[in-house]
Amino acid sequence: MLSRIAAALVPAFGRLTVTADPGARPATGSILVANHTSLADPAVVVAALRRHGIEPVILATAGLWRVPLLGPALRREGHIAVHRGTARAADSLDAAAVALASGRSVLLYGEGGLPARRDAGEAAPGPFRSGLARLAAATGAPVVPVGQAGSRRLCSGSGAKQLAGVFTAPLRRPCLHVHIGSPLHLPDRVPEATDRAREAVTAAWRTAASAVGEGACAAAA
């Protein structure tokens, strides 16, 4: 349901275009890893993935499960709460492994959180946490890098600026672009795997950022 809602709402707030590497359609049971820049990221990425027939299980901060209406929907659809900074943080990887074993694809953010900066500009992904590499090593699942750009034009900055951005987006209709990279199998060593995943997501992000900068969504609208 959440994928359908995102696919319906995101085009009302911005002009979304999606590209992929040749033959990059992710297999079932893949780990999708995207760069994280804005609270709007999940909706933008999920809407883009649905165009490719993918409705992933999402790993997201546990606080979202306390939001009225959203929390019950996340729980009902089997999405996974991440209790960052607690002893339960590792439980999310166990739950993700179960979802992958059942044939579901899993979407997570390698950076593990949002950047501290307030501007609406684009920037390369920050350092990745080790959870992605550990999940890939434990399950053997292929990793699909996903780069997104433009979502900070929907929602960034202080709380007031984020609200203003969302309310004015239907008039501004900012350019949003998501690029899906080719699947890869990460090496077993966690540090090396983490670096390789970040490099792949950074390459996908560069493609997305270039499309936004060149106004590709305007040409496709």
Side-chain angles (χ1 to χ4, degrees):
M1 181 182 75
L2 291 179
S3 289
R4 292 196 301 272
I5 292 173
L9 288 181
V10 168
F13 288 84
R15 294 164 292 169
L16 175 64
T17 50
V18 187
T19 54
D21 286 351
R25 178 176 174 79
T28 56
S30 295
I31 302 170
L32 301 141
V33 56
N35 61 307
H36 202 11
T37 64
S38 162
L39 291 174
D41 291 354
V44 172
V45 172
V46 167
L49 291 174
R50 193 168 192 271
R51 294 187 183 182
H52 283 256
I54 306 163
E55 296 190 7
V57 172
I58 304 168
L59 272 72
T61 181
L64 295 177
W65 270 252
R66 296 191 293 271
V67 177
L69 299 180
L70 177 60
L74 290 168
R75 192 174 297 108
R76 183 171 57 251
E77 296 186 16
H79 299 293
I80 299 169
V82 181
H83 297 270
R84 296 191 180 101
T86 73
R88 299 175 60 191
D91 293 347
S92 61
L93 296 183
D94 294 335
V98 171
L100 291 167
S102 72
R104 298 290 303 274
S105 290
V106 169
L107 170 65
L108 58 81
Y109 292 93
E111 295 149 286
L114 291 168
R117 59 194 179 85
R118 295 287 184 102
D119 64 282
E122 294 294 329
F128 274 22
R129 297 176 184 265
S130 65
L132 164 65
R134 290 186 283 123
L135 178 61
T139 61
V143 172
V144 179
V146 178
Q148 65 80 26
S151 67
R152 288 186 68 80
R153 301 181 186 184
L154 278 177
C155 182
S156 63
S158 65
K161 285 186 176 180
Q162 291 187 47
L163 287 174
V166 170
F167 284 124
T168 61
L171 296 175
R172 295 183 291 111
R173 295 190 50 75
C175 184
L176 313 167
H177 191 89
V178 174
H179 182 77
I180 302 170
S182 299
L184 63 150
H185 285 276
L186 298 180
D188 291 333
R189 293 185 65 252
V190 169
E192 182 182 350
T194 301
D195 288 344
R196 186 173 176 191
R198 183 187 178 193
E199 290 170 0
V201 173
T202 299
W205 165 78
R206 286 197 182 103
T207 300
S210 294
V212 168
E214 294 167 1
C217 64

